[in-house]
Amino acid sequence: MTMPDISTEIAPNVLDVRPILRSGGEPFQAIMEAVQELRPGQGLKLLATFRPQPLFRVMASRGFDHQVREVEDGDWEVLFTPQTDTAPVEISADAERPETWPDPVRHLDLTDLDPPEPMVRILAVAEELAPGEVLFALLSREPLFLFPELTKRGHQWAGNFDETGSAYRILVRKG
């Protein structure tokens, strides 16, 4: 079985995380950095020592489909390709109809900050809001560690990547 190229115009970026895995390291940060460096429409070919099943959901939330195949010596090759549609909006379990929330009273562009600063700022601003008020934030990556913290504090959230897959948009409603 051969894997198709994503595009005849843009070759996928290739990331081999097998050395990281074989040395006992965690490649998630390297993978996310490689995704951040992708050009619009560009895919990512990932080489790993195992089938990275949990990564499929993360990449799907960032707007990527995947194809996977086992290669020599039990290693795996995964080709992540950009979805043509906008990533679906994810919402917190307790969020009810985010489309009916009021317009945001605060807007934050946090795209130039490194973690954990965007999370710290969103949590600080959320605490300043009155119950039911909403803030909008623009981030350079999906805030995976922010979601459980918002839920723990009783706030609701809804977010997704923009159509280019380069910016994550999140609405936070104070609970």
Side-chain angles (χ1 to χ4, degrees):
M1 178 176 159
T2 61
M3 299 182 86
D5 276 336
I6 307 161
S7 163
T8 57
E9 298 176 16
I10 305 173
N13 188 12
V14 178
L15 179 63
D16 187 349
V17 297
R18 294 176 295 186
I20 297 171
L21 292 167
R22 288 185 178 125
S23 68
E26 169 54 54
F28 185 77
Q29 187 64 33
I31 295 167
M32 292 299 105
E33 288 173 6
V35 170
Q36 291 294 322
E37 295 172 3
L38 295 176
R39 293 176 289 167
Q42 187 177 29
L44 176 67
K45 186 181 287 187
L46 180 72
L47 300 168
T49 57
F50 64 94
R51 182 183 168 100
Q53 191 74 31
L55 186 60
F56 299 158
R57 183 178 179 277
V58 171
M59 292 297 285
S61 72
R62 300 198 64 158
F64 288 88
D65 290 325
H66 71 273
Q67 293 180 318
V68 61
R69 72 180 179 111
E70 189 171 2
V71 293
E72 75 277 357
D73 299 327
D75 291 344
W76 292 83
E77 178 182 271
V78 184
L79 180 61
F80 292 102
T81 55
Q83 297 170 344
T84 54
D85 297 330
T86 302
V89 175
E90 293 188 58
I91 61 173
S92 57
D94 60 343
E96 295 177 16
R97 304 187 56 215
E99 66 274 10
T100 64
W101 293 356
D103 289 336
V105 295
R106 297 283 305 268
H107 292 79
L108 304 171
D109 182 352
L110 307 171
T111 55
D112 60 339
L113 300 177
D114 291 324
E117 192 60 31
M119 178 174 158
V120 169
R121 291 195 186 186
I122 288 171
L123 291 173
V125 171
E127 295 307 317
E128 297 171 358
L129 298 175
E133 287 186 328
V134 176
L135 78 87
F136 171 81
L138 193 60
L139 308 159
S140 61
R141 62 189 76 193
E142 185 175 16
L144 296 174
F145 297 110
L146 177 63
F147 300 144
E149 192 62 36
L150 290 169
T151 300
K152 187 171 97 180
R153 295 175 184 218
H155 307 315
Q156 301 170 348
W157 58 267
N160 71 346
F161 280 94
D162 67 4
E163 58 281 347
T164 67
S166 62
Y168 193 86
R169 307 170 292 192
I170 187 168
L171 291 169
V172 177
R173 183 178 186 197
K174 185 167 183 170

